[in-house]
Amino acid sequence: LKLFIFEPEVKQTDRPAILFFNGGSFKKNPKSPVQFQHQANYFASKGMVAICVDYRNGSDKDFLPTQAITDVKSAIRWVRRNSSELGVDPNKIVVCGSSAGGYVTISSIMFKDLNDESEYSNQSIDHIPNLLIIFAAGMDGVDIMRRRYPQLLENATKLSPIHNMKKCLPRTLWICGTADDFYAQNLDFITQMRDKGNDITFKTFEGMEHGFFNYGTHQNKYFHKTRMEMEEYLHSFNVIS
């Protein structure tokens, strides 16, 4: 577990922090934390301590998604435990996850029994972020395990957010293109989770595909648009000025 930290130029205390969990992590040749480096640079310029998290992924021997889920918890707990040294307000922790990174961040909140080895997990420290941002993520754990991790299929419903609806999420901004393969599933998940009392803002982009927001695609038009959505959302809760 590695954390790449983007420091704001102005040194202050009690700054908000945002942790990014990239997508594509279940592949044998996974994406890297570089996916969110441009967003991280931008939010660091806005005074946030921005962190791209290099969590366990498909390139690691005997990798299972449960390891990635526990890494999310460990990363958040580490930031809170070291908030004084980092100059971070432990009550202003934002988590952003895309695709597989969105699945593991949502799962880290929904499935409290999953924790890393005790020496790393610091279970006495809260692992729930104060705000959450998701970019189009698969919420059907049964489908994920069937396709990629059949050894977990027997317990897949216990690792499937869409099979375990409850009030548990912090305030959440969810971004998805209407042409994304996960769009219908995300809409269903959000609708049911709202019915359970979760506060989820759903922003859709007409005709946009999976990963449309990434830097370097669509001449960066949607990179800028989604970054603006994130900024406005964080501003609405006084996370950034």
Side-chain angles (χ1 to χ4, degrees):
L1 182 63
K2 297 178 182 177
L3 280 66
F4 297 95
I5 301 175
F6 295 70
E7 281 274 358
E9 288 185 7
V10 179
K11 299 294 182 185
Q12 293 178 320
T13 58
D14 294 329
R15 301 171 295 186
I18 183 167
L19 289 80
F20 292 98
F21 293 85
N22 60 274
S25 53
F26 293 168
K27 303 173 183 177
K28 288 293 184 184
N29 184 27
K31 289 183 181 178
S32 78
V34 166
Q35 179 186 22
F36 278 116
Q37 67 173 330
H38 297 284
Q39 287 93 339
N41 265 322
Y42 180 76
F43 285 105
S45 78
K46 292 294 181 179
M48 300 187 78
V49 176
I51 302 169
C52 291
V53 181
D54 188 7
Y55 59 99
R56 282 175 284 186
N57 57 51
S59 68
D60 294 309
K61 188 177 185 295
D62 300 324
F63 168 74
L64 293 173
T66 47
Q67 296 169 332
I69 293 168
T70 62
D71 280 352
V72 177
K73 298 185 181 187
S74 294
I76 296 168
R77 285 168 170 154
W78 185 87
V79 170
R80 282 206 169 108
R81 190 176 80 245
N82 294 281
S83 59
S84 296
E85 293 88 339
L86 293 168
V88 165
D89 183 341
N91 296 311
K92 287 187 177 180
I93 305 294
V94 183
V95 163
C96 175
S98 165
S99 195
Y103 164 77
V104 298
T105 56
I106 292 284
S107 296
S108 73
I109 297 167
M110 295 191 79
F111 309 130
K112 294 186 177 180
D113 292 339
L114 287 175
N115 286 288
D116 210 342
E117 293 86 347
S118 58
E119 61 184 297
Y120 299 116
S121 70
N122 296 286
Q123 292 178 37
S124 63
I125 300 173
D126 187 15
H127 69 278
I128 308 295
N130 302 99
L131 291 172
L132 184 62
I133 300 171
I134 300 293
F135 286 92
M139 292 290 102
D140 188 343
V142 175
D143 174 63
I144 294 169
M145 304 316 157
R146 182 183 293 116
R147 287 187 290 109
R148 294 188 178 275
Y149 305 100
Q151 65 270 47
L152 293 178
L153 195 53
E154 186 176 340
N155 292 312
T157 55
K158 296 178 182 178
L159 299 170
S160 179
I162 209 163
H163 291 91
N164 292 275
M165 304 291 191
K166 58 185 175 182
K167 189 178 189 302
C168 61
L169 299 181
R171 288 189 177 99
T172 300
L173 170 64
W174 201 296
I175 299 172
C176 187
T178 61
D180 194 302
D181 289 344
F182 289 130
Y183 174 72
Q185 185 190 112
N186 282 192
L187 179 59
D188 181 32
F189 178 76
I190 290 166
T191 300
Q192 293 189 59
M193 286 293 278
R194 281 173 170 169
D195 289 344
K196 295 292 184 182
N198 295 281
D199 184 346
I200 305 174
T201 300
F202 191 33
K203 293 288 185 179
T204 61
F205 286 80
E206 188 66 32
M208 287 297 102
E209 75 288 352
H210 199 66
F212 74 99
F213 63 91
N214 283 321
Y215 188 86
T217 62
H218 298 289
Q219 294 79 48
N220 289 332
K221 176 181 178 180
Y222 295 101
F223 163 77
H224 291 296
K225 280 180 175 287
T226 55
R227 189 192 68 187
M228 188 181 300
E229 291 285 357
M230 294 170 67
E231 185 174 2
E232 289 177 356
Y233 190 74
L234 296 178
H235 178 69
S236 71
F237 294 107
N238 299 313
V239 174
I240 56 176
S241 57

